[in-house]
């Protein structure tokens, strides 16, 4: 499974019925709420074994799946 | 003083152009706030509604405050409904209070239409011409034991309970608050708590009483510490009164290692026990700020006891709740109804509500005759919380009475297990539950994976053997209930399947 597919799978567990492929304002439009973001961050760091630091925790990295893929790939390096 | 509107009117006279309330998009000066509240008050009053509940149903904003105060101008009391509250819970609350009107924002018009109650949109009514004569005559007919608001809490059974809080409660409480913490015209609040939660009463009425400024922090910033801290600096926030989990967020992300809070002077918290570890993180980075742990239920307006930090607290210690607020008394009552150093907390004084709306059965159970007074009628509030006096003579919170368990013949407070379990750095959050069927203490934690043996060794350093958990379970995400507290009921039912 690609990083992208894995992220979408995680997102679908956290919240269903969102078109994660297309959505680019998951945070800004309030689609993901505080606790869901906390879950998401925990899941991402666990699944990809990366350390997401406070400076990575900005809306731009979580508004779209692309943003998350980019962040994970950067952190994996 | 007999009406909370006098707080607003006094501050508006002194600081007409000063910002009273601000959110991310809008701000009201004191004179604008008074004008809009009077407009709303006139609109509602002209509907001939008096001494009735009126729902304020919107996303938390400056508009919410205008609506709340407007309702009070009209001689009614407000019920704040969270903009995201599930429809069933709203209907449940409405079946208890039967509101005469909903004031909503544009975003909630469609949802309001489904609620079978007359409603109006705030943007349509803030331009109403204020009828001062009408508002004055309403004011003259009111007394200080008339309600200001009804605030709903979950209640252990899941049925919402609506605590009725009157003018005298809010006036007495806010007077104590402002004097004790020197809340004044230079105070700039960063508001975290929702207006349907009792802690917000301190922010809102502390602001109105002292002519301070309150900034509503957008909820989503509590997921993004960098944005949160930038916002607090931009708005020059110097006073925060947050739930511990909001302070924990900043600590768990070590946000203050790389970012600086430029203006914070006062840090207060309530709503849940704070882990000493999180408090110590803040203290390390803001050593000169004042820290205060506040304690109280909705039924005492917000708070009945407080502790201003005056000594070091170790990471595995519990943070005391200190002493009773001025003009408030905290009684510790044992099982025989006698005063003791450990027992259930009863509270008496002017902060105490008269009881729950449309709920006489629950009211008589919680608002009872002072067990120490056999001479004349005196209602006190029985909190259901267990407290004790520590060696400094300070009150210490133990746990809810319902959480006290009997295990291997010992009486155990799960809160103590949690205080020890929260100490290790890897642990973000720990919760202890008791399975009465197997007579086991189960510890559930969120955080980086921990070898069970290593964790147990650390716990053994602060807990006697009989308090050690039988099982330790790691959970990826701690479940929370609607008020943002750990959902213990869910955990104790479902821990086996996590």
């Amino acid at each position: 499974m690609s990083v992208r597919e894995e992220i979408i799978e995680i997102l679908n567990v956290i919240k269903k019925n969102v078109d994660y492929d297309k959505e680019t304002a998951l945070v800004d439009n309030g689609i993901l709420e505080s606790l869901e973001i906390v879950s998401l961050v925990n899941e991402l760091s666990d699944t990809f074994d990366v350390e997401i630091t406070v400076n990575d925790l900005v809306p731009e990295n979580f508004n779209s799946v692309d943003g998350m893929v980019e962040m994970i790939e950067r952190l994996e390096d | 003083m007999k009406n909370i509107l006098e707080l607003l009117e006094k501050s508006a006279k002194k600081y007409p152009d000063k910002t009273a309330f601000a959110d991310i998009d809008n701000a009201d000066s004191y004179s604008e706030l008074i004008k809009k509240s009077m407009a709303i008050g006139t609109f509602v009053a002209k509907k001939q509604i008096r001494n009735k509940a009126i729902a304020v149903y919107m996303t938390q904003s400056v508009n919410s405050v205008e609506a709340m105060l407007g309702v009070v101008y009209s001689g009614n009391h407000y019920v704040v409904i969270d903009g995201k509250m599930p429809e069933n819970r709203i209907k449940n609350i409405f079946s208890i209070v039967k509101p005469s009107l909903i004031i909503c924002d544009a975003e909630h018009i469609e949802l309001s239409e489904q609620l079978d109650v007359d409603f109006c949109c705030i943007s349509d009514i803030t331009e109403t011409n204020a009828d001062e004569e009408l508002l004055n005559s309403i004011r003259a007919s009111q007394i200080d034991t008339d309600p200001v608001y009804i605030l709903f809490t979950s209640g252990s059974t899941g049925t919402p309970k609506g605590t009725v809080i009157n003018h005298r409660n809010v006036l007495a409480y806010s007077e104590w608050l402002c004097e004790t913490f020197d809340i004044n015209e230079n105070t700039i609040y960063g508001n975290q708590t929702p207006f349907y939660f009792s802690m917000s009463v301190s922010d809102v009425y502390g602001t109105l009483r002292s002519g301070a400024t309150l900034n509503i922090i957008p909820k989503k910033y509590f997921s993004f510490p960098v944005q949160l801290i930038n916002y607090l600096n931009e708005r020059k926030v110097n006073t925060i009164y947050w739930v511990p989990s909001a302070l924990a967020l900043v600590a768990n992300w070590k946000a203050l290692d790389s970012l600086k809070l430029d203006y914070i002077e006062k840090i207060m918290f309530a709503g849940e026990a704070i882990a000493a570890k999180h408090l110590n993180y803040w203290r390390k980075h803001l050593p000169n700020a004042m820290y205060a742990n506040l304690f109280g239920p909705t039924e005492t307006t917000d708070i009945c006891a407080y502790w201003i930090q005056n000594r070091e607290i170790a990471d595995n210690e519990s943070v005391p709740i200190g002493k009773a607020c001025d003009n408030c008394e905290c009684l510790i009552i044992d099982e025989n109804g006698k005063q003791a150093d450990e027992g259930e907390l009863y509270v008496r004084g002017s902060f105490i509500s008269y009881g729950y709306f449309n709920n006489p059965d629950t009211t008589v159970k919680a608002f009872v005759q002072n067990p120490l007074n056999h001479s004349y009628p005196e209602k006190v509030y029985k909190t259901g919380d267990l407290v004790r006096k520590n060696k400094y003579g300070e009150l210490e919170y133990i746990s809810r009475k319902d959480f006290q368990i009997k295990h291997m013949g010992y009486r155990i407070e799960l809160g103590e297990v949690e205080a020890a379990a929260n100490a290790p750095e890897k642990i973000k959050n720990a919760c202890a539950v008791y399975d009465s069927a197997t007579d086991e203490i189960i510890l559930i934690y969120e955080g980086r994976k921990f070898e069970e043996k290593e964790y147990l060794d650390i716990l053994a350093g602060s807990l006697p053997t009989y308090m050690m958990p039988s099982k330790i379970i790691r959970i990826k995400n701690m479940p929370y209930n609607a008020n943002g507290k750990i959902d213990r009921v869910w955990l104790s039912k479902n821990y086996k399947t996590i």
Side-chain angles (χ1 to χ4, degrees):
Chain A
M1 219 179 348
S2 69
V3 170
R4 193 187 167 81
E5 285 163 347
E6 267 189 276
I7 293 176
I8 293 181
E9 201 178 85
I10 291 171
L11 285 164
N12 274 318
V13 174
I14 292 169
K15 192 171 204 162
K16 287 192 192 78
N17 303 324
V18 179
D19 187 355
Y20 289 109
D21 251 329
K22 297 213 179 81
E23 195 55 61
T24 56
L26 290 168
V27 173
D28 292 343
N29 288 347
I31 299 166
L32 293 180
E33 289 187 51
S34 318
L35 288 175
E36 290 159 351
I37 293 163
V38 173
S39 312
L40 174 61
V41 172
N42 287 345
E43 292 289 343
L44 290 176
S45 20
D46 259 22
T47 310
F48 298 102
D49 197 26
V50 291
E51 196 185 339
I52 298 175
T53 71
V54 70
N55 294 313
D56 305 311
L57 198 56
V58 288
E60 302 86 80
N61 287 344
F62 295 89
N63 266 329
S64 66
V65 174
D66 287 339
M68 291 179 230
V69 172
E70 238 169 76
M71 176 184 68
I72 297 294
E73 286 176 348
R74 186 162 37 78
L75 293 173
E76 279 179 332
D77 284 342
Chain B
M1 239 187 267
K2 62 170 188 173
N3 193 295
I4 58 107
L5 294 172
E6 293 169 55
L7 303 174
L8 167 67
E9 287 157 2
K10 227 177 73 195
S11 291
K13 205 173 247 173
K14 265 176 134 170
Y15 316 103
D17 303 321
K18 201 177 161 214
T19 301
F21 291 83
D23 55 38
I24 190 86
D25 302 314
N26 296 301
D28 268 355
S29 66
Y30 274 96
S31 58
E32 285 166 327
L33 177 61
I34 212 168
K35 191 171 163 266
K36 289 178 189 167
S37 308
M38 286 172 79
I40 296 167
T42 304
F43 175 87
V44 177
K46 290 209 161 143
K47 285 183 169 275
Q48 307 300 334
I49 308 168
R50 297 287 184 279
N51 201 24
K52 290 279 182 344
I54 298 195
V56 173
Y57 180 32
M58 53 185 76
T59 303
Q60 184 144 319
S61 63
V62 170
N63 288 151
S64 318
V65 183
E66 297 161 1
M68 286 149 61
L69 296 171
V71 168
V72 181
Y73 266 112
S74 73
N76 294 289
H77 37 275
Y78 60 82
V79 182
V80 177
I81 302 290
D82 178 19
K84 300 247 169 174
M85 195 180 278
E87 192 182 336
N88 275 340
R89 186 167 158 91
I90 300 179
K91 286 189 169 155
N92 208 338
I93 288 176
F94 280 14
S95 71
I96 300 167
V97 282
K98 303 190 173 54
S100 304
L101 180 71
I102 300 170
I103 305 178
C104 66
D105 57 7
E107 205 185 316
H108 292 88
I109 292 178
E110 271 173 49
L111 292 160
S112 298
E113 276 167 356
Q114 293 160 19
L115 291 167
D116 274 336
V117 176
D118 184 17
F119 70 94
C120 61
C121 179
I122 186 152
S123 55
D124 298 334
I125 62 175
T126 42
E127 299 298 316
T128 312
N129 282 326
D131 183 339
E132 282 193 45
E133 209 176 310
L134 173 65
L135 298 182
N136 285 339
S137 76
I138 291 171
R139 183 80 61 90
S141 70
Q142 286 198 293
I143 61 170
D144 69 355
T145 49
D146 286 332
V148 179
Y149 60 84
I150 302 169
L151 205 149
F152 279 85
T153 50
S154 285
S156 46
T157 55
T159 314
K161 286 187 295 192
T163 303
V164 183
I165 296 290
N166 64 39
H167 289 269
R168 185 165 60 186
N169 297 145
V170 178
L171 290 171
Y173 173 71
S174 59
E175 185 179 359
W176 166 78
L177 180 85
C178 291
E179 280 181 12
T180 307
F181 300 110
D182 189 26
I183 304 299
N184 58 49
E185 72 276 16
N186 300 316
T187 297
I188 303 178
Y189 268 112
N191 159 260
Q192 174 262 321
T193 53
F195 293 156
Y196 57 84
F197 181 25
S198 59
M199 280 174 70
S200 69
V201 173
S202 298
D203 291 10
V204 170
Y205 291 96
T207 297
L208 290 173
R209 179 180 277 276
S210 59
T213 297
L214 179 147
N215 292 287
I216 297 168
I217 304 170
K219 214 173 155 192
K220 68 173 187 203
Y221 286 5
F222 286 94
S223 311
F224 300 104
V226 177
Q227 278 189 316
L228 174 65
I229 288 170
N230 288 342
Y231 181 80
L232 295 175
N233 286 337
E234 266 164 40
R235 301 278 171 127
K236 299 192 163 74
V237 167
N238 57 23
T239 305
I240 55 175
Y241 175 43
W242 291 357
V243 293
S245 59
L247 295 169
L249 168 96
V250 173
N252 281 332
W253 281 101
K254 301 198 188 329
L256 299 176
D257 287 10
S258 52
L259 297 157
K260 215 175 136 250
L261 277 167
D262 294 329
Y263 302 95
I264 297 287
E265 293 165 4
K266 290 169 191 157
I267 297 163
M268 299 175 269
F269 34 90
E272 249 190 322
I274 190 166
K277 175 178 70 179
H278 295 144
L279 174 58
N280 287 336
Y281 177 84
W282 277 80
R283 293 230 313 156
K284 193 174 111 198
H285 291 278
L286 289 168
N288 299 320
M290 179 211 72
Y291 294 84
N293 187 23
L294 278 62
F295 176 84
T298 303
E299 288 84 348
T300 67
T301 308
D302 180 22
I303 292 306
C304 58
Y306 71 109
W307 180 73
I308 297 179
Q309 186 158 19
N310 52 7
R311 61 184 155 87
E312 296 293 321
I313 298 281
D315 281 357
N316 60 354
E317 271 183 273
S318 68
V319 181
I321 57 171
K323 60 178 182 183
C325 305
D326 183 41
N327 202 14
C328 198
E329 189 183 7
C330 289
L331 306 167
I332 307 176
I333 304 292
D334 68 11
E335 282 148 5
N336 307 315
K338 297 273 183 295
Q339 210 154 6
D341 283 340
E342 179 170 334
E344 186 174 355
L345 177 70
Y346 286 57
V347 187
R348 62 186 209 106
S350 304
F351 306 177
I352 311 297
S353 155
Y354 277 173
Y356 305 112
F357 197 85
N358 260 342
N359 195 340
D361 296 345
T362 311
T363 300
V364 295
K365 279 184 211 145
F367 296 85
V368 300
Q369 172 68 21
N370 179 351
L372 306 177
N373 176 355
H374 305 291
S375 314
Y376 58 87
E378 184 198 5
K379 285 274 183 291
V380 296
Y381 176 64
K382 191 172 182 291
T383 62
D385 292 311
L386 294 171
V387 298
R388 67 169 154 245
K389 280 208 173 129
N390 66 14
K391 62 180 173 190
Y392 302 96
E394 300 156 342
L395 292 172
E396 215 172 69
Y397 178 76
I398 303 171
S399 69
R400 290 290 300 161
K401 210 174 165 187
D402 323 335
F403 291 169
Q404 191 180 56
I405 58 158
K406 250 196 152 164
H407 174 56
M408 294 161 55
Y410 292 95
R411 213 170 61 184
I412 293 177
E413 283 83 22
L414 294 171
E416 284 183 54
V417 180
E418 288 173 9
N422 266 311
E425 180 159 9
K426 283 184 185 175
I427 302 302
K428 280 195 176 162
N429 224 329
C431 172
V433 296
Y434 177 66
D435 189 331
S436 54
T438 55
D439 189 25
E440 283 179 325
I441 297 172
I442 319 292
L443 181 67
I444 297 143
Y445 76 96
E446 180 190 318
R448 302 297 274 183
K449 220 179 228 147
F450 218 155
E451 283 304 319
E452 186 164 315
K453 166 127 191 359
E454 195 190 342
Y455 201 178
L456 286 170
D457 281 347
I458 296 176
L459 292 177
S462 33
L463 295 177
T465 319
Y466 63 84
M467 285 173 74
M468 293 290 283
S470 319
K471 281 201 183 88
I472 298 187
I473 298 170
R474 177 171 180 243
I475 190 170
K476 279 191 177 168
N477 305 295
M478 201 57 99
Y480 291 91
N481 65 19
N483 284 341
K485 299 185 186 182
I486 293 176
D487 194 339
R488 291 157 198 285
V489 179
W490 188 90
L491 279 174
S492 47
K493 280 189 199 142
N494 297 288
Y495 77 87
K496 281 184 185 145
T497 57
I498 292 168

